[in-house]
Amino acid sequence: MTDVAASTAPATLDVAAVRAQFPYLERPEGIVYLDSGASAQKPRAVLDAMHEFGGLHYANVHRGVHRLAVEADAAYDGARATIAAFVGSTARETIITKSVTEAINLVAASWGAANVGEGDEVVITQMEHHANLVPWQQLCLRTGATLRYLEIDAEGRLDLDQLDGFLAGGRVKLVAVAHVSNVLGTRNPVAEIVRRSHAARARVMVDGAQAVPQEPVDVAALGADFYGWTGHKLYGPTGIGVLHVRRDLLAEMPPFLTGGDMINVVDFHETTWATGIQRFEAGTPPIVEAVGLAAACDWVGSIGGPAAVIAHEERITAYALGRLAEIDGLTVVGPPEAAGRGALTSFAFEGLHPHDVAEILARREVCVRAGQHCAEPLHRAMGIPATTRASFAAHTTTDEIDALVDALREAQRIFA
Ligand SMILES: Cc1ncc(COP(=O)(O)O)c(C=O)c1O
């Protein structure tokens, strides 16, 4: 908790100093990377930490007594503590997974299968990434529970009265919601959703994939039962995700994956399980990746912390919204104002297909994402087949937004 409190102290991001730490910016092409929402670039500190650990201190964890095994244990356990503290959680409530997708599947397969049955309801929202939709859809199909959707309004926001209506029925077992939408940029009122859901005895799963890279997150203060996020969007490596589970729930959750490291006693015909988070980490974990993700957490702290990152990204988002509004025929989806919005803009361009737009932008080395961004039902709900998304990071500058706007005007000219 102290780390989170420290990171919320006002600090200004030195963007030039931040940019100097990203090797991709040394390439001669002048790449304008506006695709951090899909995956963030890696600063040197993260690459170096993984290189040094992998070269000098590497061994498998939790099963050796030799020098390297002891060093690897210390590094892995230390990384978990750093990762947990970064978001106001504790190591004892922090499960390392492969991705946030795996984290959500873990909750659905373990807690979900044990607690959700016929006649129950699971509530999610229309704005969910497939990672926080398909596991609940499949759980409901398997168990006979009903999946209900909170709708978005014209500005991409939720209506909590609708949530109250669902909760009033008394059948809701779980509410699963994105902290920040990866398409709309909507920042959902998670603490309030948790408060209302808990009052109705429903559990809450938060998908923090887009929130953790962009803002100070305090999992304990939010009160969510399950909070998942993913390493590669926080300037860390791929292959690692994080799931925070409230300690009192861990004991009632059956294993997700079974095998080595998650057991207590194994006999020929039966097995007993390890307790706590250990039960959910079957097999060799992503050790080097955990070291890399901890380095990414430290790196964000070193540039001013999440409070400085969000202040910078809100300025960039405000600038982007203003510049994009200058382009005829372009419609940004999601909340119209930058304050309280995630650091990304998705837009539809009248008469132009998002893939054509992305192609023209790529010719100018402007990297954006086109398509449905793993949120097909959301695009259906908006009545838009696909969008182009520009997403921002600590290294994004207003010059890069200008480059985006110039390239969009060129796309408009080419396809006119
Ligand atoms: C909101 C949201 N949830 C979940 C995911 C899935 O992340 P991963 O592929 O790392 O599991 C993403 C990735 O784009 C996302 O933006």
Side-chain angles (χ1 to χ4, degrees):
M1 295 292 281
T2 46
D3 287 10
V4 170
S7 68
T8 53
T12 310
L13 209 82
D14 179 346
V15 184
V18 168
R19 288 173 71 80
Q21 299 177 52
F22 284 89
Y24 86 95
L25 284 167
E26 290 164 13
R27 290 182 56 134
E29 299 92 347
I31 288 174
V32 175
Y33 190 75
L34 300 177
D35 201 16
S36 297
S39 202
Q41 294 295 331
K42 317 306 169 200
R44 214 167 271 113
V46 170
L47 302 169
D48 289 351
M50 294 172 71
H51 190 252
E52 189 192 322
F53 173 77
L56 288 175
H57 309 286
Y58 181 76
N60 211 330
V61 291
H62 302 158
R63 58 190 70 168
V65 293
H66 55 76
R67 180 182 297 278
L68 292 179
V70 171
E71 289 179 8
D73 275 356
Y76 183 66
D77 295 342
R80 189 198 307 275
T82 300
I83 291 163
F86 185 74
V87 292
S89 183
T90 64
R92 283 199 292 174
E93 296 168 300
T94 299
I95 300 168
I96 302 292
T97 64
K98 168 163 81 63
S99 59
V100 67
T101 300
E102 186 180 279
I104 297 167
N105 274 276
L106 188 164
V107 178
S110 169
W111 182 88
N115 290 280
V116 176
E118 201 172 343
D120 292 334
E121 293 177 1
V122 173
V123 174
I124 66 171
T125 84
Q126 287 181 329
M127 72 175 81
E128 297 313 310
H129 186 283
H130 296 163
N132 200 29
L133 186 158
V134 182
W136 305 118
Q137 180 192 71
Q138 295 304 304
L139 175 72
C140 289
L141 288 172
R142 275 198 304 277
T143 59
T146 302
L147 184 62
R148 307 190 76 177
Y149 284 88
L150 294 174
E151 288 163 18
I152 54 161
D153 68 14
E155 293 188 347
R157 293 196 179 86
L158 299 176
D159 174 4
L160 294 194
D161 288 345
Q162 193 187 16
L163 173 64
D164 288 341
F166 286 167
L167 293 170
R171 292 177 180 272
V172 179
K173 280 288 175 76
L174 181 98
V175 176
V177 62
H179 198 163
V180 173
S181 158
N182 67 313
V183 177
L184 303 165
T186 311
R187 186 168 274 138
N188 287 313
V190 165
E192 183 58 22
I193 290 171
V194 170
R195 196 185 65 72
R196 294 183 192 209
S197 302
H198 282 179
R201 304 172 64 82
R203 301 287 180 204
V204 180
M205 164 93 229
V206 180
D207 172 1
Q210 294 291 338
V212 173
Q214 295 183 16
E215 63 179 282
V217 170
D218 187 334
V219 169
L222 289 173
D225 303 284
F226 309 102
Y227 193 104
W229 54 287
T230 205
H232 65 97
K233 294 188 203 282
L234 184 79
Y235 312 100
T238 52
I240 182 164
V242 186
L243 175 67
H244 307 284
V245 181
R246 277 206 3 232
R247 202 173 319 152
D248 50 315
L249 294 177
L250 276 171
E252 66 183 61
M253 290 169 58
F256 169 49
L257 301 176
T258 55
D261 234 25
M262 50 73 67
I263 48 80
N264 180 18
V265 177
V266 182
D267 206 341
F268 286 105
H269 295 290
E270 58 185 4
T271 299
T272 56
W273 315 126
T275 54
I277 55 171
Q278 205 59 47
R279 182 184 298 175
F280 300 99
E281 292 190 6
T284 300
I287 307 166
V288 183
E289 290 78 3
V291 169
L293 182 54
C297 295
D298 288 342
W299 179 78
V300 172
S302 76
I303 61 168
V309 171
I310 191 177
H312 170 71
E313 292 183 1
E314 275 194 1
R315 274 194 298 277
I316 294 292
T317 306
Y319 185 76
L321 288 171
R323 295 277 355 247
L324 291 171
E326 294 168 12
I327 302 176
D328 290 339
L330 187 151
T331 309
V332 176
V333 299
E337 67 284 342
R341 193 186 204 282
L344 57 91
T345 52
S346 303
F347 47 85
F349 215 165
E350 207 180 331
L352 297 186
H353 194 281
H355 286 122
D356 292 336
V357 174
E359 185 69 38
I360 300 297
L361 267 53
R363 287 190 209 163
R364 289 189 165 213
E365 304 294 354
V366 176
C367 313
V368 296
R369 183 56 61 107
Q372 296 175 327
H373 320 294
C374 293
E376 197 176 333
L378 170 62
H379 282 81
R380 206 163 284 136
M382 294 191 294
I384 301 173
T387 49
T388 307
R389 181 182 71 188
S391 49
F392 317 127
H395 48 70
T396 309
T397 63
T398 52
D399 285 351
E400 291 182 318
I401 302 300
D402 291 341
L404 166 71
V405 170
D406 289 349
L408 287 169
R409 288 197 190 287
E410 176 162 302
Q412 208 168 29
R413 269 195 306 276
I414 289 172
F415 289 106

